[in-house]
Amino acid sequence: MLVPSVSATKELLARLVAFDTTSHNSNIALIRFVEDYLGQHGVASIRVPTADGQKASLFATIGPAGVGGIALSGHTDVVPVTGQSWDTDPFTLTERGGRLYGRGACDMKGYLACVLAMVPALKTRKLATPIHIAFSYDEEVGCTGVRPMVAELGKTLPLPRMVFVGEPTTMAVVDAHKGPMRWAVTVTGKASHSALPHLGVNAVTYAGLLLGELARIEEELKRVAPNPRFDPPYTSLQVTQIAGGNAANIVPAACWFGWEIRRLPGFDGLDLDLRVRRFAEERCTAPMQRLAPETGVVVDLTNEVPPFQADAGSGAVPLALKLAEQNATFAVCYATEASLFQAGGAPAVVCGPGDIAQAHTPDEYLEVAELEKCLAFLARVAGWAT
Ligand SMILES: [Zn+2]
């Protein structure tokens, strides 16, 4: 079995970390680096770019065409370092005490580096089943970048038989995750002197009515049929952002807040969406507009990733367990691209190096031992494909 050297993998990781691919930035420099690297090893790749060309996913196949194969999928973007205090430069991979520090080292450039490190070994084999590489963007802002690539599977791109998504799971096999839905609520009131509140419509007060309803729903959700595979075992609801008002003596004309749910597989999010909209209409907008017709509440669903439950009939889970040398699967509360691949016809499973607890944090790191475990796993994937 040909396992690539850990030092070569670290070098690749250092290169990847050095590209500041925070989601609001272009990822093209990183994509170009990966294209060149693959090209040097005789592997052609296809970009799936955004309309403005500022970002792209990259898809490549090693091995025979016309057969399903396993896709190794990961995202190239990382979360911001803004407001975080780091001991090291987040974009310079720094090894210390068996740990590799850097933004994205864990989530999830470590996996990308392992996949790329495997390429020379894959090229020396005669693969019976192809290995696909599927690198995406904008995962951290709602798994939006992978969607155009998934839409091409089975059309301009081959449809993989299964997809291994390498989000950090400490190389455990994850066969289920929750699915977030996010909303932005804009409350438009009417300003007046706060000494004359009867001349205005208080946007913050009406936002508060809706926040109260969300707090009630949050408690209700905790009591609906728990799923003990998840921690917490229920569909969670959180208000995550809020802003409103301009001055201490003005009835606020505007309030905005963001909220989300992370729903269990099988939870009907659209039912909840409808309930909140109806509350906003009947208890906020209607009484507000009786005071001033230009006021009201707008509820926007801004992002949605489906919950993930691995397709039991696909064989992806037993194969991942075998190759990861594990005997149990796990469910997690964070979302991945797995559910989107599965919805696109490619059964998926999540298994990757690093601990999600280190993702998104200052001094994010990946243990070298995790990198080694991932390389061994990918070598078994290659062995299976040979
Ligand atoms: Zn991630």
Side-chain angles (χ1 to χ4, degrees):
M1 182 115 335
L2 212 46
V3 183
S5 83
V6 175
S7 66
T9 313
K10 284 183 200 167
E11 265 169 50
L12 281 163
L13 180 54
R15 296 295 302 270
L16 295 175
V17 165
F19 295 105
D20 177 359
T21 51
T22 307
S23 305
H24 57 74
N25 292 339
S26 167
N27 74 336
I28 293 299
L30 181 148
I31 290 296
R32 201 173 294 131
F33 167 75
V34 175
E35 280 170 339
D36 289 349
Y37 174 87
L38 293 173
Q40 282 159 22
H41 293 95
V43 179
S45 52
I46 300 171
R47 280 191 198 188
V48 183
T50 53
D52 65 3
Q54 286 303 300
K55 295 179 184 179
S57 292
L58 199 69
F59 192 97
T61 299
I62 303 167
V67 236
I70 292 182
L72 305 173
S73 167
H75 60 85
T76 60
D77 60 319
V78 296
V79 295
V81 295
T82 319
Q84 296 185 342
S85 163
W86 282 67
D87 289 340
T88 58
D89 173 9
F91 300 106
T92 305
L93 190 73
T94 308
E95 183 166 3
R96 207 177 274 173
R99 293 171 173 179
L100 300 159
Y101 290 88
R103 171 51 85 228
C106 172
D107 186 11
M108 56 182 294
K109 289 176 172 175
Y111 183 71
L112 305 186
C114 290
V115 169
L116 294 177
M118 281 300 298
V119 168
L122 291 171
K123 281 299 285 180
T124 62
R125 289 157 179 272
K126 183 135 181 67
L127 297 179
T129 306
I131 301 290
H132 309 285
I133 295 172
F135 288 177
S136 61
Y137 60 91
D138 281 359
E139 190 270 352
E140 299 290 6
V141 287
C143 293
T144 53
V146 78
R147 297 175 202 234
M149 176 163 63
V150 169
E152 292 305 317
L153 299 178
K155 295 177 188 150
T156 59
L157 299 174
L159 179 67
R161 193 168 122 201
M162 54 186 85
V163 181
F164 289 172
V165 177
E167 283 284 333
T169 66
T170 56
M171 295 311 292
V173 175
V174 165
D175 65 347
H177 66 62
K178 289 183 179 176
M181 288 175 85
R182 295 203 173 102
W183 290 264
V185 176
T186 308
V187 184
T188 305
K190 185 184 171 191
S192 69
H193 194 299
S194 62
L196 303 169
H198 55 294
L199 301 182
V201 178
N202 192 318
V204 170
T205 300
Y206 282 100
L209 289 180
L210 196 45
L211 292 171
E213 174 70 355
L214 293 177
R216 279 188 290 280
I217 295 172
E218 181 186 355
E219 292 308 309
E220 279 175 34
L221 292 174
K222 289 179 184 171
R223 297 192 292 269
V224 182
N227 182 334
R229 292 199 71 207
F230 292 87
D231 180 24
Y234 47 82
T235 294
S236 59
L237 184 156
Q238 289 298 299
V239 177
T240 50
Q241 292 169 290
I242 190 164
N246 303 102
N249 56 1
I250 301 175
V251 169
C255 184
W256 174 92
F257 67 90
W259 64 285
E260 66 156 34
I261 61 169
R262 290 180 177 261
R263 60 207 199 278
L264 294 168
F267 181 87
D268 186 352
L270 292 177
D271 223 37
L272 176 62
D273 176 77
L274 205 65
R275 172 176 168 180
V276 172
R277 283 174 198 277
R278 192 172 299 137
F279 184 96
E281 180 56 40
E282 291 171 3
R283 305 290 294 280
C284 303
T285 300
M288 290 172 85
Q289 290 187 342
R290 280 199 288 276
L291 299 169
E294 70 273 26
T295 62
V297 176
V298 176
V299 179
D300 280 321
L301 177 62
T302 54
N303 187 257
E304 179 185 4
V305 179
F308 172 58
Q309 181 66 64
D311 174 357
S314 73
V317 172
L319 179 64
L321 283 170
K322 183 171 156 240
L323 297 174
E325 298 183 337
Q326 304 279 320
N327 49 29
T329 59
F330 296 89
V332 294
C333 293
Y334 54 89
T336 78
E337 300 172 337
S339 55
L340 294 165
F341 277 110
Q342 192 151 284
V349 63
V350 187
C351 180
D355 189 329
I356 196 72
Q358 273 100 49
H360 301 196
T361 60
D363 298 324
E364 173 179 352
Y365 66 84
L366 177 67
E367 290 189 4
V368 176
E370 287 290 310
L371 208 67
E372 289 169 343
K373 268 160 63 183
C374 184
L375 288 171
F377 166 76
L378 292 174
R380 290 190 289 270
V381 172
W384 174 85
T386 304

